[in-house]
Amino acid sequence: QIVRPFPVAVKVATMASGALRRLTGEQVTKAMASLSPQWRLAPAAAPERLERTFQFRDFSGAFGFMSRVALAAEKADHHPNWSNVYSTVEVTLWTHDAGGLTEKDFSLATVMDKAAADTGLE
C-alpha cells in the first residue's frame, strides 16, 4: 500500500511566498493562538523559537509524519530542526535568515499539526 501525503499545495504556496520579516511579540502571541496547544515558545531562546514534541504509536508513524512534512518543507524551502528516536519526534522551528520567528514557521507548524493528526498521534 502506498501512503500518499496529504494535500499541502495551499499551505506550501503561502510558505514559499512568505516574507522573511521577523514577527513582533504581538504577532507571535496572535499566531500562537492558531496552533495546537502543544506548541510552545522555547524558554529564553535567542532567537525566539517554536518547539513541540510529537509522540506517535510507533516508529512507522513517526517516520511517516517526517516524510510528509519533509515534502512540504522542501517545497516551501523552509526546513525544520528535528530529531527522531523511535516513536518521538522533537521539533524546533525558527527562520535563520530573519533571526527569529516568521510566518513561515507558523505555516510549517500548521502543516505539521495536520500531518500528525493524519498519521496518528498516540
Side-chain angles (χ1 to χ4, degrees), residues 9-122:
V10 173
K11 282 294 178 192
V12 169
T14 301
M15 289 166 47
S17 64
L20 291 178
R21 284 183 304 223
R22 187 174 175 177
L23 299 177
T24 66
E26 184 177 318
Q27 291 170 318
V28 168
T29 299
K30 185 177 179 182
M32 287 295 293
S34 69
L35 297 178
S36 296
Q38 294 85 356
W39 285 100
R40 61 196 175 278
L41 292 174
E48 199 166 34
R49 300 171 186 197
L50 289 174
E51 295 179 333
R52 180 168 177 190
T53 300
F54 293 90
Q55 186 66 48
F56 298 91
R57 288 187 268 277
D58 54 25
F59 177 75
S60 294
F63 192 82
F65 163 78
M66 292 179 79
S67 296
R68 289 174 181 216
V69 172
L71 294 172
E74 186 64 20
K75 285 182 182 179
D77 192 29
H78 190 59
H79 305 93
N81 289 315
W82 57 6
S83 64
N84 165 242
V85 176
Y86 187 63
S87 61
T88 303
V89 178
E90 299 277 347
V91 177
T92 305
L93 298 175
W94 79 97
T95 304
H96 300 81
D97 294 342
L101 295 171
T102 66
E103 289 180 14
K104 284 183 143 188
D105 301 300
F106 288 94
S107 293
L108 186 55
T110 300
V111 168
M112 289 180 158
D113 285 343
K114 172 80 169 114
D118 290 349
T119 303
L121 292 168
E122 184 166 87

